[in-house]
Structures are given as C-alpha cells and as structure tokens.
Amino acid sequence: MSDLPARVTIKEEGPREGFQIERGAIPTADKIALVDALSDTGLDYIQVTSFVNPQKVPGMADAEAVVAGMTLRPGVRYAGLWLNQQGLLRAIATGRLYLEGKLTLYASDAFLKRNQNRTREQQLAAQPELLRMYQSHGIAVRTGFVTAAFGCNFEGDIAPSRVVELVAEMRQIAREAGEDLSLIGLGDTMAWANPESIRRVVGMVRDANPDVELSLHLHDTRGLGLANAYAGLQMGVTHFDAAVAGLGGCPFAAHAGAAGNICTEDFVLMCEEMGIETGVDLEALAECARLAERIVGHPLPGKVKTGGSLKAMRRTLSAS
Amino acid sequence: MSDLPARVTIKEEGPREGFQIERGAIPTADKIALVDALSDTGLDYIQVTSFVNPQKVPGMADAEAVVAGMTLRPGVRYAGLWLNQQGLLRAIATGRLYLEGKLTLYASDAFLKRNQNRTREQQLAAQPELLRMYQSHGIAVRTGFVTAAFGCNFEGDIAPSRVVELVAEMRQIAREAGEDLSLIGLGDTMAWANPESIRRVVGMVRDANPDVELSLHLHDTRGLGLANAYAGLQMGVTHFDAAVAGLGGCPFAAHAGAAGNICTEDFVLMCEEMGIETGVDLEALAECARLAERIVGHPLPGKVKTGGSLKAMRRTLSAS
C-alpha cells in the first residue's frame, strides 16, 4: 500500500550535526553564512548549533556567537540542541531560538548504558523531572523521540514491539504531566534500517498512535537513506530530518564510515519529483550544498549539487 | 502493494561501465585483478569490457587482453559489450565470453537522433538486420532494452505509454524472426526516474507483458538509485544492473555530476536485509569495492565499503 503525504516538513540539521563532526575548526562566520543561506531556501526549520560542553565538543564552543550572528528570517524556526538544563539555559539566554521540549528514549539498553550509564528503568524514571524542567521554563513538550529504533551496533536488531512499548511509555509520562505528544520521531541512529523494516516499525507505531504525526531521522551509513525515506513516505510519514549536502558524515574511511542524515536536497528532489510539497527552492538549496562543500573543504556525499535538478532541465528544454 | 521477489539476479557492470569513464589509463592487470576478485564473490554475471573503437574509447583498447587474462570461474557468465558487428566479431573471437543477443530501442527521439542520427522509424527498420546478424552466429536474442525509458536530458519526460509501445514493437520484431524475448530491461539512462515513476512504468510494462522478467538499469546521478531499485523490487523486478563501489561515475564536479549505476554492494546489503537472495558474499564484494577504489585512485560513492555490513556486525555481537 502507498500512502504518500501531500506535503512534508523537513528539519534541516546540517549546521549542527554537520559541523560537529568535521575535523578542524569551522570559522563562525562560515557557519553563520550557511545558516543565513539555508533560511532563504524556504526551509522553515533549521537546527543551527548545539549547546554542549565546549571542553567535550570544541567545534560547538561558538554556539552563542552563531546564534547572535545569524539574520532571523520571519517564518523560520531556528532551533538548537542541548543535553541538559545547563544547555537549555544557554539556548534560552540567546533569546533568538525556537524552543521546544522533547522526550528521548533509547530502544537499545546497551547503547543507553554506554551513552548515559543508565538502565531502562533509570531512563524512564528520569523523564518526569525533564518534563518539569521544560514546564518550569514555559516550554511545551510535544515531541517524543526513540533512539536506535531499528538496530544498534552494540545490541543488534531491535524488536519493533519494543519501540511501540517505548512510545506508549513516553506518551503516558507526558500525559501524567498534563502534556500530550503530537509528534513521534524514530531514529535510525546507526543505520540499521531497511525499507521493509521502516514499513514494519512505522506501521506498528502508526497503528498504535493514529493521533500523532510521525518523523524519521535516517542515517545514510549504508546507502539506504533515501530508500528508507521513500518507505517512510509510503507509510505516511510527514516529518524528516535531513542535512544539506549530506553534512554530518563522510563516505570516506577517514571518518570510519559513519555517514550523516539523508541529504536534504536529494530528498527534496525525490519529493518534488513525486509531487510531494516541501516548500523548498531546490536550486537555492543546491547552492547551499555547494557552499557547505566549500566550507568543509572536502567532497560531501549529496548528489543533486552536482547532478542537478530535473525541474531546471525541464525549464531549459521548454525554453529551447 | 508490495511484491518483493525471493531472489534477484545482478549484472555486475563495474569493470566495463566503470573504467570506461575514468580519466587516465587503468592498467590491464588491475582490470583483470578486479574481474577475478568479482568472480569469487558469488556474482554470476560480470560485464568485463566493451569492444568499441579504440580510437574513440582508448580506455577499452585492451579489451582482448582483459578477456585473455582473466581466470574463468565455472558458473560465472563473463560478458562483453559491442555496438556493431565488428565489435561482436571481436567478442566471439576471444572464445571466452558469454554471448547474448539484445535488442535496444531508444524511448527518446532526441537522444536517438543525437547518438545514432536515426529517426524512430529508422530505429525500428534496423532491428531485423541486427537479429539476423545474431542468428547468423547462432546467438539467441532473449533480451530487449529500452534506453531513456523514464526521461531524457534532450527531450524531457517520457510518456509511459511510449515505453509500453516500444516493448510491444521489439517483441513483435523478435517474433517475426522466430525469437521470443524473455527479459525486458528498462534503462534510466539519465537518472530521470523517481520511485513512483518506476512503479508506474514497470507496472504498465508488466501488465502488458506478464510472461517476461523485468530488469532495471538505474543511474544514481540524483541520489535516487536505491530508492528506485526498492520501488522496482516492490513491483517484482528480478534483474538489476549494478556497479561495484558505484564505479562508472563520480559524485564530484570533475565528471560533470553524472553518476554510475547503483552501487552493487549497497544494493546487495539492501536485498540481504530485506530477505531477498542475491547469492553474493557481501564481505567479499565490499573488499572488491575497496580494490576498485585503490585502482581508480579516488573515492567512489558506494557506502557499504566503509559503512560495513550488518551481517558482520550481528556475527561480532553474537560472538561477544
């Protein structure tokens, strides 16, 4: 069955997820230039930086400077990432960011232990406090996200029933705090998904939660990113995370083969060709991809920035 | 609807399509090394070279030497490409190749005019003679191929009905010569297809030709290659052309953005993860991809050669 949505919402994560993994410092002015260029493409959500410990992630030490330097365009939600209250406070202090609360649960116990040194039970127990933190700042919590929802390098395959269970748990936790999640995101954090597992897991989560919208966060480490995105579109998924030019990873051994999110402009072309509205100007976005490539100084995996868009070709042909 | 096949046949085109476009000569010994390595992966069809005019394609001047130097492995079909009787005679003369006849029709009149300086009518009129040429050498003609079946840089979108019409015409031509086509290939020669157009065109061709198997030749110039392949699998397509490491194109501007066929090892991983048999040892194939990268001396687009296979990870996890 095919259930393609008429329109999708794209969360651009390139500036944040992308520059974080690059070796060598990216000049703050370059980061600002890319964010400003992206905000002129029609993208209405751009994750611009992350407020993490500068000792641990030196590349993000200029988070405040990036946010202060960018030109706010009306209608664009400029978002940031934080991992704790300290980070949230820094984001709030900028006074220029779109702030949203989010609950995140790991589907992989092994990955949870490794990343947060927590058990499944400790993870659940920590959520109400996180919710209270958002509420104390007047920030609504509408999004729930499941990390490693399709598989994990440290645990292997994840049972779809486990994902459905986690979604039910996070929705219950939200309800008990008087909130209600309206968007559920599934993360293929370590690129274990395939188009059929996307259909299976999304289908089960959708059937159990017919009242929420679904989002996919897909990494392209094994090249299946857009095939997985297409499978998600067939299942009616309306929200996708993506990174301009495929920023956030590198197909070459230097970065141990981990790749970033699906490439925004390649995904936009796929949607555009299938009649799915994105609100994005593909030509302008491809120009941003070429800018991102110049900024990092090495080839980035996106294809449309060199392959070109079909709309542009059709224009040329009808003009000739 | 989903109609995934239990098994697919992969035509490896890397050595032929790949090396042809590389700048600078690839040593014959390297070409032979890659062909020999590929023949140990379980791939049962490898297109090793093309017998074209050495003046026009210097990189293929060593066609005979490659064929003479490779080690024939039982069960592997080693194929070549030719564009005319002269090329066919060279292929026959090697005495070591799997020879098959093929009818090819262009769906784009503009591309046909440009490449062969022929009209639609002249193209049809030329086929019976081609068939007689094969028959005179005792070579059966079982395959028909439609070039630019989804769109063309010189003509734009191609009407699906035109593709169905061409398939009917080539089958009629074959029947009149006492042959019967059993495999129909559709080529997305210039990467105009999207997953939905694949479903539409494949569906129409399949409905009109329920008695033949279908094949897809997909270029990845706009990054939709594997998404298009997945759409083809959903429509029951059982034959796919592919190129190890994504040889045959380069995602970087140097090659004007044209990309090669879908990457064989990435496609094999997708199939393997969805339970579709390929008969290929993915680890061995990924090693071939790394060999191809060393041979051409620049990064190639395939992801699995750096991202790794999931089967291997599962083995490691269950062993630990």
Side-chain angles (χ1 to χ4, degrees), chain B:
Chain B
M1 66 118 239
S2 185
D3 191 8
L4 298 182
R7 196 183 200 299
V8 293
T9 298
I10 297 170
K11 258 193 193 181
E12 172 56 49
E13 303 204 331
R16 192 274 308 169
E17 169 145 351
F19 293 146
Q20 189 167 319
I21 63 108
E22 289 297 327
R23 297 156 164 208
I26 304 286
T28 304
D30 286 346
K31 297 179 180 177
I32 293 169
L34 182 63
V35 169
D36 285 348
L38 286 167
S39 69
D40 288 337
T41 62
L43 283 165
D44 62 7
Y45 184 107
I46 306 171
Q47 195 172 53
V48 296
T49 188
S50 65
F51 298 90
V52 288
N53 185 336
Q55 270 68 49
K56 292 206 183 113
V57 190
M60 287 289 149
D62 61 357
E64 278 82 359
V66 169
V67 175
M70 66 194 189
T71 304
L72 297 184
R73 186 192 176 93
V76 178
R77 291 168 293 167
Y78 297 87
L81 180 85
W82 51 81
L83 305 175
N84 51 36
Q85 165 132 290
Q86 197 180 355
L88 171 60
L89 293 175
R90 287 173 60 195
I92 293 171
T94 68
R96 310 190 83 202
L97 293 175
Y98 168 77
L99 302 166
E100 57 185 343
K102 183 176 169 186
L103 296 183
T104 298
L105 296 179
Y106 285 56
S108 162
D109 295 335
F111 192 47
L112 176 65
K113 186 75 190 164
R114 196 185 163 89
N115 266 24
Q116 305 196 336
N117 190 32
R118 275 182 181 164
T119 64
R120 192 182 278 211
E121 296 67 30
Q122 291 168 325
Q123 167 174 252
L124 281 184
Q127 302 309 311
E129 185 189 342
L130 185 69
L131 259 162
R132 279 192 297 277
M133 174 186 87
Y134 283 118
Q135 292 177 321
S136 69
H137 294 290
I139 299 171
V141 179
R142 298 273 178 269
T143 303
F145 185 77
V146 180
T147 295
F150 300 89
C152 168
N153 294 351
F154 310 103
E155 186 161 320
D157 296 293
I158 299 294
S161 59
R162 172 72 182 137
V163 178
V164 174
E165 174 185 277
L166 283 165
V167 171
E169 287 170 341
M170 61 172 65
R171 293 197 72 184
Q172 183 53 34
I173 289 166
R175 288 201 197 87
E176 284 165 5
E179 302 273 359
D180 191 10
L181 303 183
S182 55
L183 180 68
I184 297 296
L186 304 178
D188 185 23
T189 314
M190 286 163 277
W192 276 63
N194 65 68
E196 290 292 295
S197 65
I198 293 278
R199 289 172 64 94
R200 195 177 317 121
V201 178
V202 168
M204 285 174 66
V205 171
R206 190 175 73 167
D207 293 347
N209 303 270
D211 55 330
V212 303
E213 289 202 275
L214 297 177
S215 167
L216 283 171
H217 177 88
L218 304 166
H219 280 267
D220 199 32
T221 303
R222 294 175 180 84
L224 307 193
L226 281 192
N228 290 341
Y230 174 59
L233 288 167
Q234 289 188 311
M235 298 301 289
V237 174
T238 52
H239 290 62
F240 290 83
D241 297 345
V244 64
L247 263 173
C250 185
F252 318 128
H255 290 227
N261 271 244
I262 55 172
C263 167
T264 314
E265 65 273 17
D266 294 3
F267 177 65
V268 166
L269 178 128
M270 182 170 80
C271 289
E272 180 168 289
E273 289 296 313
M274 299 195 298
I276 298 171
E277 240 188 88
T278 64
V280 177
D281 175 340
L282 184 54
E283 310 305 318
L285 185 60
E287 193 47 53
C288 292
R290 291 184 282 269
L291 170 62
E293 205 161 51
R294 289 195 297 275
I295 290 175
V296 299
H298 61 74
L300 290 169
K303 295 285 179 78
V304 166
K305 63 183 154 57
T306 45
S309 96
L310 289 168
K311 262 192 186 168
M313 281 212 172
R314 290 188 187 97
R315 268 198 308 275
T316 316
L317 286 166
S318 58
S320 64

